[in-house]
Amino acid sequence: MENQDKKRILIIEAALKRFAHYGLSKTTMTEIAKDISFSKALLYYYFPDKLSLYVSSIEHLMQIMSRDLVKSIDKTTTATEGVLKLLQKRQGYIQKYYNLFESNQVISTELPEGLYEKFQRARTFEAIIIGSLFSRGIASGELTMEDPKLATDIFIDALSGIHFNILSRDKIMFPGKEQFKQIFAKEKMLAEIFLAGLKAK
């Protein structure tokens, strides 16, 4: 069983590299199998099709990101530093795995249920981290707010608004690399203004 798990992880890691470099449509199961010297039949034993392997690759990346975010944020000393670190880390992953995320546009009209749930979980996880940072800020006397949960919801809605407005303005479904830079710059400024307004007097 342990050997099977190792093979599955090897396949996912190889697929993640391929999807990140070439995207979903330009990656084949044959290429992934060749990269790790596995037979194509073995890949299909673990994953019935390329889309299911893509979904598993996204999930694997989200687990890596989650661990990395928690580790990085634990090293920050203030809530403000933690929120800015979260945004910076997220931007770094988007830039590195741009082709992987862009592939969602290809399948967006038929987004697999499993993938939709994973994105929802990632958003929930981000909300929990931001909420915990706000609570940390209150406990240390850095921030002051009556309702941390409401403040978290407003902050996340504002971040989503930046994303939505840039997409609407440019009439696109998925941000290009330049749009992502604009989004990050505006998210960073929003975080700085938002948190400055919550600073304890």
Side-chain angles (χ1 to χ4, degrees), residues 1 19 57 86 123 155 175:
M1 186 67 182
F19 291 138
S57 299
L86 182 147
R123 278 190 280 271
F155 182 65

Side-chain angles (χ1 to χ4, degrees), residues 27 82 128 193 196:
T27 296
I128 290 167
I193 294 167

Side-chain angles (χ1 to χ4, degrees), residues 60-129:
H60 185 67
L61 177 60
M62 285 179 174
Q63 288 168 355
I64 292 169
M65 286 172 66
S66 299
R67 286 194 296 269
D68 188 27
L69 279 173
V70 170
K71 197 172 159 186
S72 298
I73 287 165
D74 280 347
K75 291 178 183 173
T76 60
T77 54
T78 66
T80 302
E81 188 188 349
V83 170
L84 293 174
K85 177 61 77 175
L86 182 147
L87 297 177
Q88 180 191 16
K89 279 278 178 184
R90 189 178 64 177
Q91 178 68 8
Y93 275 105
I94 288 168
Q95 286 176 339
K96 184 175 179 180
Y97 293 98
Y98 177 78
N99 289 330
L100 182 79
F101 294 119
E102 187 188 34
S103 297
N104 287 312
Q105 190 177 4
V106 178
I107 56 171
S108 60
T109 51
E110 301 170 6
L111 204 62
E113 188 63 30
L115 191 54
Y116 177 77
E117 285 170 12
K118 284 167 182 52
F119 283 129
Q120 285 295 102
R121 279 209 307 269
R123 278 190 280 271
T124 302
F125 176 74
E126 192 170 274
I128 290 167
I129 287 184

